[in-house]
Amino acid sequence: MSEKKATIQEYIKIKVKPVFDQLISRIVIEKPEDVYAWSINWLQKQQSGVKVQQLIHHDLSEEEEDEEEVVLEIKQQQKQQTRAAVSAEVYGDYNKKEDFKPRFIQKSEAQIERIKKRILNSFMFQALDEKDLNIVLGAMEEKKFQVGDVVIKQGDDGNELYVIDEGRLECYKKFTGLEEEKLLKTYIPGESFGELALLYNAPRAATIKAIEDVTTFALDRETFNNIVKFSAIKKREQMEEILNKIELLQSMDNYERVQLCDVLKEEKHKAGENIINEGEIGDRIYLIIEGELEAYWKGQTEKVYDYKPGDYFGELALLKNAPRQATVIAKTDVILLYCDFNSFRRLMGPLEEVLKRNMERYEKYLQQ
């Protein structure tokens, strides 16, 4: 019996516990109403994304009653564990902040202010409280790269994420079936990269090369996992879920959509508020997450369009390089995401053709 018990405990430790650690952590973060359905969906996604290893073969099938008895005994022991032990099971020993000793790299006040200014542009760090933010600032390390340096390489393991202080880099991705790498985007100061490998414990998703001399601030995996990871995962998944509902973005692949998360900012307005005004110079395009809006022109005397969640507006000023063509007013309380035109062109250049095709919805007004 003791040998069988040890075998089952080893199986649970190696095969079962890692899966349930992740699952329970996600449940604690997401707090779904229907835990069973959500868990099944989550497990199916994990199975589709990762090749499942073969189960360890043990010759136990002929003694199912003994096995049941051992499993029940183990479960009974688990029920008797303290609340602290259950908490450690949920998050894993490696996620207990009280056991975590962050690295600290000495910096000048000027460096700290520069880092703070940069990282607070990234959604990953915006939810940190002052204590955690200071830990992250202390752990950041300045790293410089020269023109042509490969900072991260697709397929490699990742141990750091980078926030750009100076210089530009290009992001390339090798897609299955294509010989040449595809240029996805150019990174500029204030943006971050390398977080995907840390968020999802996966190989690097793309290759990043310096096209100028570059100064970055690097954050190590351990600090990221203990301080930033859970809030970052939740925020990113919320953003991705939102972006999946925007029809305009359906032609983007998952990696491109993930990059878009970093440049989008949220804005809330009450019913009756003007979002944009006819005749003003515009530099933003808006995506509608919640609520309804109406577009008017000719001094708000004629309604042009009704907007609903999943729609977008503000693109005419981008496409026509002209002042705003209409006034857009919140019909209900609304939640919007927006990005500036430069970021839109840099990340979503090919979508300009989609925008141009969709201009027909305004055509009868633009011709008058």
Side-chain angles (χ1 to χ4, degrees):
M1 176 73 74
S2 60
E3 183 179 346
K4 191 179 301 296
K5 178 179 175 181
T7 300
I8 292 176
Q9 285 179 320
E10 182 68 12
Y11 175 81
I12 290 173
K13 178 181 178 182
I14 295 174
K15 293 291 183 179
V16 180
K17 184 177 180 297
V19 175
F20 278 87
D21 275 350
Q22 292 184 60
L23 174 59
I24 295 172
S25 295
R26 296 306 313 155
I27 291 172
V28 169
I29 292 172
E30 299 293 343
K31 297 180 177 63
E33 288 294 327
D34 188 338
V35 175
Y36 287 107
W38 188 94
S39 299
I40 290 169
N41 184 54
W42 184 87
L43 288 166
Q44 287 174 337
K45 286 182 178 179
Q46 300 306 304
Q47 186 180 38
S48 64
V50 181
K51 186 177 180 181
V52 180
Q53 296 180 351
Q54 294 297 317
L55 297 177
I56 298 175
H57 297 291
H58 296 298
D59 189 19
L60 301 174
S61 57
E62 296 179 0
E63 304 175 30
E64 291 181 14
E65 290 185 5
D66 284 348
E67 181 176 298
E68 259 186 34
E69 189 177 329
V70 172
V71 171
L72 287 172
E73 183 181 343
I74 294 171
K75 289 175 73 176
Q76 187 62 33
Q77 290 175 354
Q78 290 176 333
K79 285 182 181 180
Q80 296 170 354
Q81 292 177 334
T82 64
R83 183 179 297 271
V86 172
S87 177
E89 188 76 4
V90 171
Y91 294 105
D93 291 337
Y94 52 85
N95 279 323
K96 288 165 56 179
K97 285 188 180 182
E98 60 268 28
D99 294 337
F100 168 60
K101 298 291 187 269
R103 72 180 187 181
F104 179 79
I105 298 170
Q106 193 67 42
K107 305 175 187 68
S108 67
E109 285 297 322
Q111 279 183 309
I112 291 173
E113 285 305 310
R114 277 169 48 216
I115 297 172
K116 188 174 182 179
K117 179 182 177 182
R118 293 303 189 192
I119 68 174
L120 290 180
N121 284 329
S122 174
F123 79 92
M124 287 187 297
F125 302 102
Q126 290 169 358
L128 297 178
D129 60 30
E130 186 175 357
K131 178 182 176 182
D132 286 345
L133 178 60
N134 286 333
I135 291 174
V136 169
L137 291 171
M140 284 276 192
E141 180 181 7
E142 184 175 285
K143 291 195 171 183
K144 295 179 180 288
F145 301 93
Q146 296 180 334
V147 177
D149 285 350
V150 174
V151 182
I152 65 175
K153 185 176 181 181
Q154 184 174 346
D156 285 355
D157 292 332
N159 292 312
E160 293 177 312
L161 71 81
Y162 301 86
V163 179
I164 306 166
D165 185 44
E166 297 176 349
R168 296 183 302 144
L169 306 97
E170 288 183 336
C171 173
Y172 292 88
K173 186 172 178 65
K174 183 73 165 19
F175 291 94
T176 304
L178 298 178
E179 293 186 7
E180 297 294 326
E181 292 180 320
K182 178 184 177 183
L183 174 62
L184 295 184
K185 66 169 291 184
T186 301
Y187 284 98
I188 62 173
E191 295 185 319
S192 59
F193 62 89
E195 75 279 6
L196 293 181
L198 307 188
L199 280 173
Y200 303 115
N201 196 29
R204 294 297 194 189
T207 296
I208 312 289
K209 303 174 184 177
I211 58 173
E212 299 175 353
D213 288 345
V214 171
T215 300
T216 67
F217 301 115
L219 183 66
D220 63 293
R221 175 187 287 274
E222 192 175 3
T223 303
F224 181 84
N225 281 343
N226 282 276
I227 304 299
V228 184
K229 184 170 185 174
F230 281 104
S231 61
I233 287 177
K234 183 175 177 61
K235 184 69 173 178
R236 184 176 286 281
E237 289 184 350
Q238 287 174 338
M239 290 286 283
E240 287 185 60
E241 184 178 353
I242 289 169
L243 297 183
N244 284 336
K245 297 176 182 177
I246 305 294
E247 185 178 354
L248 173 67
L249 309 179
Q250 294 306 303
S251 62
M252 300 177 75
D253 66 30
N254 287 336
Y255 186 81
E256 291 169 328
R257 204 173 286 127
V258 162
Q259 299 308 307
L260 180 57
C261 291
D262 277 334
V263 299
L264 287 173
K265 293 180 173 58
E266 186 179 286
E267 193 172 270
K268 296 181 180 180
H269 292 272
K270 296 289 186 182
E273 291 184 1
N274 288 20
I275 315 303
I276 62 175
N277 294 292
E278 183 179 355
E280 69 183 7
I281 302 300
D283 64 351
R284 294 176 179 178
I285 183 169
Y286 293 86
L287 310 175
I288 304 169
I289 307 309
E290 291 183 14
E292 299 177 359
L293 304 98
E294 297 173 324
Y296 292 86
W297 76 324
K298 293 185 177 179
Q300 301 183 31
T301 60
E302 188 173 351
K303 185 159 74 171
V304 178
Y305 203 77
D306 289 300
Y307 295 104
K308 62 185 185 304
D311 283 340
Y312 56 89
F313 64 92
E315 78 283 9
L316 289 181
L318 167 67
L319 296 173
K320 299 171 71 67
N321 193 25
R324 296 293 193 190
Q325 302 288 300
T327 296
V328 176
I329 303 172
K331 183 178 179 181
T332 65
D333 291 353
V334 295
I335 300 176
L336 309 171
L337 294 176
Y338 70 87
C339 74
D340 63 89
F341 288 167
N342 287 335
S343 297
F344 184 90
R345 281 197 172 99
R346 186 159 40 82
L347 286 172
M348 300 179 283
L351 293 182
E352 285 196 45
E353 292 304 315
V354 179
L355 293 175
K356 289 175 182 175
R357 288 199 300 271
N358 290 346
M359 276 178 61
E360 63 188 28
R361 62 185 180 176
Y362 308 116
E363 205 63 42
K364 66 178 181 179
Y365 299 100
L366 296 174
Q367 290 176 355
Q368 294 181 26

